[in-house]
mmCIF file of all heavy atoms in Angstrom:
data_model
loop_
_atom_site.group_PDB
_atom_site.id
_atom_site.type_symbol
_atom_site.label_atom_id
_atom_site.label_comp_id
_atom_site.label_asym_id
_atom_site.label_seq_id
_atom_site.Cartn_x
_atom_site.Cartn_y
_atom_site.Cartn_z
ATOM 1 N N ARG J 6 3.909 13.448 1.793
ATOM 2 C CA ARG J 6 4.123 14.306 2.953
ATOM 3 C C ARG J 6 3.895 15.769 2.635
ATOM 4 O O ARG J 6 3.815 16.598 3.521
ATOM 5 C CB ARG J 6 5.536 14.107 3.485
ATOM 6 C CG ARG J 6 5.745 12.746 4.153
ATOM 7 C CD ARG J 6 7.191 12.553 4.552
ATOM 8 N NE ARG J 6 8.073 12.493 3.377
ATOM 9 C CZ ARG J 6 9.396 12.391 3.459
ATOM 10 N NH1 ARG J 6 9.982 12.384 4.643
ATOM 11 N NH2 ARG J 6 10.132 12.323 2.362
ATOM 12 N N SER J 113 -3.382 58.716 -9.795
ATOM 13 C CA SER J 113 -2.206 59.071 -9.004
ATOM 14 C C SER J 113 -2.640 59.740 -7.710
ATOM 15 O O SER J 113 -3.643 60.453 -7.663
ATOM 16 C CB SER J 113 -1.305 60.013 -9.810
ATOM 17 O OG SER J 113 -0.344 60.611 -8.970
ATOM 18 N N VAL J 119 -11.309 61.449 -7.763
ATOM 19 C CA VAL J 119 -12.323 61.127 -8.762
ATOM 20 C C VAL J 119 -13.248 60.097 -8.135
ATOM 21 O O VAL J 119 -12.801 59.046 -7.685
ATOM 22 C CB VAL J 119 -11.682 60.564 -10.047
ATOM 23 C CG1 VAL J 119 -12.757 60.050 -10.993
ATOM 24 C CG2 VAL J 119 -10.849 61.642 -10.735
ATOM 25 N N ALA J 129 -7.705 62.524 -20.662
ATOM 26 C CA ALA J 129 -6.797 61.866 -19.721
ATOM 27 C C ALA J 129 -6.122 60.664 -20.383
ATOM 28 O O ALA J 129 -6.703 59.978 -21.226
ATOM 29 C CB ALA J 129 -7.557 61.422 -18.475
ATOM 30 N N PRO J 147 -14.584 58.197 -25.938
ATOM 31 C CA PRO J 147 -13.653 58.288 -27.067
ATOM 32 C C PRO J 147 -12.654 59.434 -26.933
ATOM 33 O O PRO J 147 -11.684 59.484 -27.695
ATOM 34 C CB PRO J 147 -14.588 58.492 -28.267
ATOM 35 C CG PRO J 147 -15.880 58.979 -27.705
ATOM 36 C CD PRO J 147 -15.996 58.362 -26.348
ATOM 37 N N GLN J 204 -13.139 36.975 -14.346
ATOM 38 C CA GLN J 204 -12.376 37.936 -13.542
ATOM 39 C C GLN J 204 -12.780 37.858 -12.073
ATOM 40 O O GLN J 204 -13.951 37.818 -11.746
ATOM 41 C CB GLN J 204 -12.606 39.357 -14.079
ATOM 42 C CG GLN J 204 -11.735 40.407 -13.416
ATOM 43 C CD GLN J 204 -11.620 41.661 -14.266
ATOM 44 O OE1 GLN J 204 -11.051 41.604 -15.351
ATOM 45 N NE2 GLN J 204 -12.149 42.774 -13.800
ATOM 46 N N GLU J 220 -9.526 14.805 -4.267
ATOM 47 C CA GLU J 220 -10.273 14.757 -3.005
ATOM 48 C C GLU J 220 -9.969 15.979 -2.146
ATOM 49 O O GLU J 220 -10.863 16.595 -1.565
ATOM 50 C CB GLU J 220 -9.924 13.480 -2.240
ATOM 51 C CG GLU J 220 -10.693 13.326 -0.946
ATOM 52 C CD GLU J 220 -10.410 12.024 -0.236
ATOM 53 O OE1 GLU J 220 -9.712 11.169 -0.824
ATOM 54 O OE2 GLU J 220 -10.872 11.860 0.910
ATOM 55 N N VAL J 222 -8.561 18.972 -3.212
ATOM 56 C CA VAL J 222 -8.891 20.208 -3.911
ATOM 57 C C VAL J 222 -10.406 20.419 -3.980
ATOM 58 O O VAL J 222 -10.888 21.560 -3.953
ATOM 59 C CB VAL J 222 -8.269 20.203 -5.329
ATOM 60 C CG1 VAL J 222 -8.826 21.323 -6.188
ATOM 61 C CG2 VAL J 222 -6.755 20.320 -5.227
ATOM 62 N N LEU J 225 -12.260 22.986 -1.901
ATOM 63 C CA LEU J 225 -12.140 24.417 -2.180
ATOM 64 C C LEU J 225 -13.245 24.928 -3.093
ATOM 65 O O LEU J 225 -13.358 26.136 -3.313
ATOM 66 C CB LEU J 225 -10.785 24.710 -2.847
ATOM 67 C CG LEU J 225 -9.530 24.147 -2.171
ATOM 68 C CD1 LEU J 225 -8.298 24.517 -2.991
ATOM 69 C CD2 LEU J 225 -9.398 24.671 -0.754
ATOM 70 N N VAL J 258 -25.723 33.985 -10.161
ATOM 71 C CA VAL J 258 -26.922 33.259 -9.767
ATOM 72 C C VAL J 258 -27.879 34.235 -9.092
ATOM 73 O O VAL J 258 -27.525 34.896 -8.113
ATOM 74 C CB VAL J 258 -26.583 32.096 -8.824
ATOM 75 C CG1 VAL J 258 -27.861 31.376 -8.395
ATOM 76 C CG2 VAL J 258 -25.633 31.114 -9.507
ATOM 77 N N LEU J 263 -29.458 31.279 -13.388
ATOM 78 C CA LEU J 263 -28.197 31.853 -13.805
ATOM 79 C C LEU J 263 -28.452 32.901 -14.889
ATOM 80 O O LEU J 263 -29.015 32.604 -15.945
ATOM 81 C CB LEU J 263 -27.268 30.760 -14.347
ATOM 82 C CG LEU J 263 -25.827 31.179 -14.661
ATOM 83 C CD1 LEU J 263 -25.102 31.614 -13.400
ATOM 84 C CD2 LEU J 263 -25.077 30.032 -15.331
ATOM 85 N N VAL J 286 -29.260 26.868 -13.500
ATOM 86 C CA VAL J 286 -27.852 26.816 -13.111
ATOM 87 C C VAL J 286 -27.185 25.571 -13.681
ATOM 88 O O VAL J 286 -26.014 25.602 -14.073
ATOM 89 C CB VAL J 286 -27.718 26.854 -11.567
ATOM 90 C CG1 VAL J 286 -26.275 26.650 -11.144
ATOM 91 C CG2 VAL J 286 -28.257 28.173 -11.014
ATOM 92 N N GLU J 298 -23.800 32.393 -29.450
ATOM 93 C CA GLU J 298 -24.441 32.260 -30.753
ATOM 94 C C GLU J 298 -25.344 33.454 -31.041
ATOM 95 O O GLU J 298 -25.411 33.956 -32.173
ATOM 96 C CB GLU J 298 -25.234 30.951 -30.807
ATOM 97 C CG GLU J 298 -24.336 29.716 -30.792
ATOM 98 C CD GLU J 298 -25.124 28.420 -30.682
ATOM 99 O OE1 GLU J 298 -26.297 28.482 -30.231
ATOM 100 O OE2 GLU J 298 -24.574 27.353 -31.024
#
Side-chain angles (χ1 to χ4, degrees):
R6 290 175 295 177
S113 166
V119 172
Q204 187 160 294
E220 182 176 353
V222 168
L225 310 179
V258 178
L263 188 64
V286 174
E298 292 173 340

